[in-house]
């Protein structure tokens, strides 16, 4: 963890203690609810909800657009947006209408039967991402798992290559990093790995074509699974020529390429794939396309879809390891169709990206004004400020530049004044309802925090 963020540590600790105390005073009902949750593992419905800058999480009462109200009556401008799951905004009206119609009027929450909504959603994903054949899951994690199985089957190769400090959900194969000796090693904190991750995976640093080729040259990699820009370790953007180089090397070594667009969908209506003109063999995506309703999807090239369909030895219908009873359910498909047709449209992205650009420009001016060695990165509608300058060029550099103490202080300082960032890093995401006034509000509080830190 970095401590070279240009901040006096003693002052940071003093201010952090003050802000945590203020947080506790503002959230007595949240604190009480957390204390009573004896029958939840970790006192939360999912353990990562304990990732909070304070001593307990905020409990939700209601949410609409880019506003959240907690059980204590505090209202927040929400730049976290469910860590991308609510990029369409909270409960967008077209999604609510479509899901309500499906549930109340038509019926059938889970039927294991296809609906016309699914075909429409698949066609729209094909139009946006350029891959013709789509299948649905409930999470991007499952979409990645199933894509990996398909590509192992079609290649006969056992290993998957990922980037160091990537994020592809809880996919076992992705929990590998480049160690100090330059070799792959299990990522710190890897829970209950079924086998040594180096037996299933290879790893290369993002923006490192030489390292990628060295790993692909072994000839045992079925697929490269990557985000076109790293996101969950902080935004790390591709250098000029890097993504084209990845595509050339995967073709040279007979390896398929999967673009995980779950977070990089912020780049535009067709994600980074369309924005940068990429040509992957598979695209995986989840979260945002359902407008807040659980969904994941993967799209296949025509060549790959045909190759898989022609394999009589693969059980793609029953117990072959690809699929789930609730995948493609009528509610998720209604939500996905509504989100793609009516919410996360081209016009919506134009607005979101413009707002994000204003966010990035403003935050850069504030940081520069205080002479801090920080930087700002933007990927479409997504912005991140980093405690390093220049911005990290790969995942390992990004992990080294982290400053958890400083990050937590900024998060709780903002929360105490009605602004939420995503809890895992300094990410601010714009939705269709985010305004420049919301951006100005964040900047006003952020600048006040820096003024106190540097006084």
């Amino acid at each position: 963890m970095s401590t070279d963020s240009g901040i006096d540590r003693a002052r940071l600790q003093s201010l952090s203690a003050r802000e945590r105390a203020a947080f506790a005073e503002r959230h007595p009902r949240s604190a009480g609810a957390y204390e009573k949750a004896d029958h939840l593992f970790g006192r939360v419905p999912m353990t990562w909800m304990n990732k909070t800058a304070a001593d307990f999480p905020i409990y939700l009462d209601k949410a609409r657009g880019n506003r959240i109200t907690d059980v204590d009556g505090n209202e927040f401008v929400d730049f976290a947006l469910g860590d991308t799951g609510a990029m369409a905004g909270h409960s967008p009206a077209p999604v609510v209408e479509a899901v309500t119609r499906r549930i109340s009027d038509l019926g059938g929450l889970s039927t294991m039967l296809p609906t016309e909504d699914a075909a429409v959603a698949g066609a729209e994903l094909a139009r946006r991402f350029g891959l013709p054949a789509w299948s649905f899951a409930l999470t991007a994690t499952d979409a990645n798992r199933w894509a990996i199985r398909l590509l192992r089957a079609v290649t006969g190769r056992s290993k998957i290559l990922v980037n160091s400090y990537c994020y592809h959900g809880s996919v076992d194969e992705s929990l590998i990093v480049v160690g100090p000796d330059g070799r792959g090693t299990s990522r710190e904190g890897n829970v209950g790995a079924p086998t040594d991750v180096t037996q299933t995976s290879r790893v290369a640093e993002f923006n490192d074509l030489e390292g990628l080729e060295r790993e692909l040259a072994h000839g045992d990699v079925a697929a490269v699974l990557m985000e076109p820009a790293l996101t969950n370790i902080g935004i790390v953007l591709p250098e000029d020529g890097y993504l084209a180089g990845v595509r050339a090397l995967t073709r040279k070594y007979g390896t398929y390429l999967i673009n995980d667009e779950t977070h990089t969908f912020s780049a535009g209506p067709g994600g980074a794939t369309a924005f940068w003109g990429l040509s992957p063999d598979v695209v995986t995506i989840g979260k945002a396309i359902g407008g807040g309703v659980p969904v994941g999807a993967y799209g296949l090239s025509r060549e790959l879809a045909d190759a898989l369909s022609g394999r009589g030895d693969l059980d793609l219908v029953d117990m072959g390891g690809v699929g789930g009873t609730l995948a493609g359910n009528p509610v998720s498909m209604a939500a996905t169709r509504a989100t793609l047709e009516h919410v996360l449209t081209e016009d919506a992205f134009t607005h979101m990206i413009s707002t994000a650009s204003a966010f990035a420009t403003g935050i850069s001016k504030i940081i520069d004004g205080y002479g801090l060695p920080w930087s700002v990165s933007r990927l479409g509608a997504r912005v991140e400020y980093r405690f390093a300058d220049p911005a990290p060029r790969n995942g390992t550099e990004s992990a080294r530049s982290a400053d958890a103490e400083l990050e937590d202080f900024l998060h709780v300082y903002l929360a105490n004044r009605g602004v939420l960032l995503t809890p895992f890093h300094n990410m601010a995401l714009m939705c269709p309802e985010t305004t420049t006034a919301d951006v100005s509000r964040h900047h006003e509080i952020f600048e006040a925090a820096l003024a106190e830190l540097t006084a």
Side-chain angles (χ1 to χ4, degrees), residues 12 15-16 19 405-413 449 453:
L12 173 59
L15 290 171
S16 294
E19 291 300 317
E405 186 179 25
L406 176 56
E407 181 177 291
D408 283 353
F409 164 74
L410 290 170
H411 284 216
V412 74
Y413 192 99
L453 279 171

Side-chain angles (χ1 to χ4, degrees), residues 124-142:
E124 178 61 8
L125 289 168
R127 183 187 73 81
R128 293 189 183 206
F129 290 94
L131 294 172
W134 286 81
S135 190
F136 290 95
L138 282 181
T139 67
T141 294
D142 279 341

Side-chain angles (χ1 to χ4, degrees), residues 148-160 173 200 222:
I148 284 171
R149 293 182 74 94
L150 292 172
L151 296 181
R152 279 184 169 137
V154 80
T155 62
R157 297 178 177 182
S158 63
K159 290 192 175 180
I160 304 300
E173 290 86 348
T200 62

Side-chain angles (χ1 to χ4, degrees), residues 50 181 210-211 423:
N50 275 317
D181 61 357
E210 182 179 341

